[in-house]
Amino acid sequence: MKVELVRVNDAFHFEGTGSSEVKVHTDGSPEIGGTNLGVRPMELLLMGLASCSAIDVVLILKKQRQDITDFRIVADGDREQEPDTKRKPFRKIHLTFKFAGNNLDESKINRAIGLSMEKYCSATAQLEALATITYDVEIASV
């Protein structure tokens, strides 16, 4: 896997591309001179984790013919500063999987999420070495 990051302005706005050739913009916070023209890099890590699991879950639930009308994941990450550094890695990440649909089977949803988190999602495997990752599920009927 390979990505390219190109500086867009004279501050902290960057444009990244990978194999899909879709542009992703990142930027620093205004406090350091950023211009809010992209997501923060640590936000992008949380989005990557949520996206990885979301793809797994949708694939599994489609095969099980679950009628999902709305699906979203809220990722909440707690960061802790490492001693004698400016680094603040995630130490706790909590995902809330939110579903709406017709006649959704809660056991199938829980199984799909479990498979994603424990077997399929490479982002989970990468991040769980440094952070405790937990999740919960909310299901609404339509």
Side-chain angles (χ1 to χ4, degrees), residues 71-86:
F71 174 46
R72 52 191 75 210
I73 299 173
V74 176
D76 186 16
D78 291 333
R79 299 168 64 187
E80 291 181 11
Q81 182 137 5
E82 290 182 338
D84 303 319
T85 75
K86 295 286 186 178

Side-chain angles (χ1 to χ4, degrees), residues 12 17-18 24 26 33 39 54 56 61 67 70-71 83 95 107 110 115 123 139-140:
F12 304 103
T17 44
V24 175
T26 60
V39 297
D56 295 337
L61 293 176
D67 184 14
D70 188 44
F71 174 46
L95 304 175
S107 65
N110 286 321
L115 284 170
I139 302 171

Side-chain angles (χ1 to χ4, degrees), residues 114-135:
L115 284 170
S116 173
M117 300 301 288
E118 297 162 17
K119 187 173 183 180
Y120 295 118
C121 180
S122 298
T124 299
Q126 187 71 53
L127 291 172
E128 71 185 356
L130 295 173
T132 301
I133 302 174
T134 58
Y135 65 88

Side-chain angles (χ1 to χ4, degrees), residues 54-110:
I55 289 169
D56 295 337
V57 169
V58 169
L59 278 171
I60 293 165
L61 293 176
K62 276 187 170 200
K63 289 178 184 175
Q64 296 177 343
R65 295 188 173 102
Q66 293 295 291
D67 184 14
I68 301 168
T69 58
D70 188 44
F71 174 46
R72 52 191 75 210
I73 299 173
V74 176
D76 186 16
D78 291 333
R79 299 168 64 187
E80 291 181 11
Q81 182 137 5
E82 290 182 338
D84 303 319
T85 75
K86 295 286 186 178
R87 301 184 332 172
K88 290 174 60 177
F90 291 113
R91 295 298 185 212
K92 294 179 185 175
I93 299 171
H94 185 77
L95 304 175
T96 302
F97 291 80
K98 299 182 177 191
F99 295 88
N102 299 305
N103 301 312
L104 294 176
D105 185 326
E106 186 174 352
S107 65
K108 288 181 179 181
I109 287 173
N110 286 321

Side-chain angles (χ1 to χ4, degrees), residues 7-26:
R7 191 172 184 199
V8 176
N9 64 15
D10 62 352
F12 304 103
H13 180 199
F14 292 88
E15 181 179 88
T17 44
S19 60
S20 70
E21 298 184 20
V22 174
K23 309 283 188 221
V24 175
H25 291 261
T26 60

